Amino acid sequence: MRLEPLGIEGAWKVVPRQHADGRGVFAEWYRHDRFAEVVGHPLDLAQANVSVSRRGVVRGIHFSDVPPGQAKYITCVSGEVVDVVVDLRVGSPTFGRWEAVPLDDVERAALYLAEGLGHGFCTLSPEATVVYLCSSTYDPERERAVHPFDPLLGIRWPTTDPRLSDRDATAPGLAELRARRLLPGLRWTGAD
């Protein structure tokens, strides 16, 4: 397994070594020891989620209040998505920056996103199944969303007919969340 840092601190692409033979394919997509060695800390696992989405569905951009935050380890076990990580940490040198990473059932790569980073994806295949390992349990009082089509972020989603949940379609933009002091780095530190 190979861990590659993205251009946003705290975001890593994880590429497993695949072993194929006449029976199929085997790959280790997560190893706590290798992960901790490269990233510098373990990933405490508190919850696992799975979502199944149809082509053109855009989920996110979601994040949790920090502290405690929610780190995520994400992979696409069936189909294909473009996963997007957004740095929402006020004061970070890459604040507001986003990166898109393809995840699919061929390369079988995963993404690790540290606390304070936003996450979303767009389904490219007729259907896709995405699995998340999370460092903390879901708490609706601490869960936040940024509108995925906020012009301030300028994410180039690979769909012309996006399908959004009501929650994502009505989510505030980055500027509003910052003004309301709901972004990581503002709520507890008072940073601007």
Side-chain angles (χ1 to χ4, degrees), residues 64-120:
S64 295
D65 288 346
V66 176
Q70 186 182 64
K72 295 177 180 174
Y73 194 92
I74 304 147
T75 193
C76 180
V77 296
S78 175
E80 180 181 12
V81 301
V82 168
D83 204 290
V84 175
V85 56
V86 181
D87 191 347
L88 300 173
R89 302 166 298 188
V90 174
S92 167
T94 55
F95 173 74
R97 182 174 166 193
W98 61 274
E99 280 192 53
V101 178
L103 297 178
D104 59 38
D105 58 8
V106 176
E107 184 184 35
R108 293 176 172 58
L111 281 180
Y112 167 70
L113 308 178
E115 295 85 350
L117 297 177
H119 167 258

Side-chain angles (χ1 to χ4, degrees), residues 160-174:
T160 56
D161 186 25
R163 295 160 58 176
L164 304 172
S165 69
D166 291 342
R167 175 183 177 225
D168 291 341
T170 60
L174 190 64

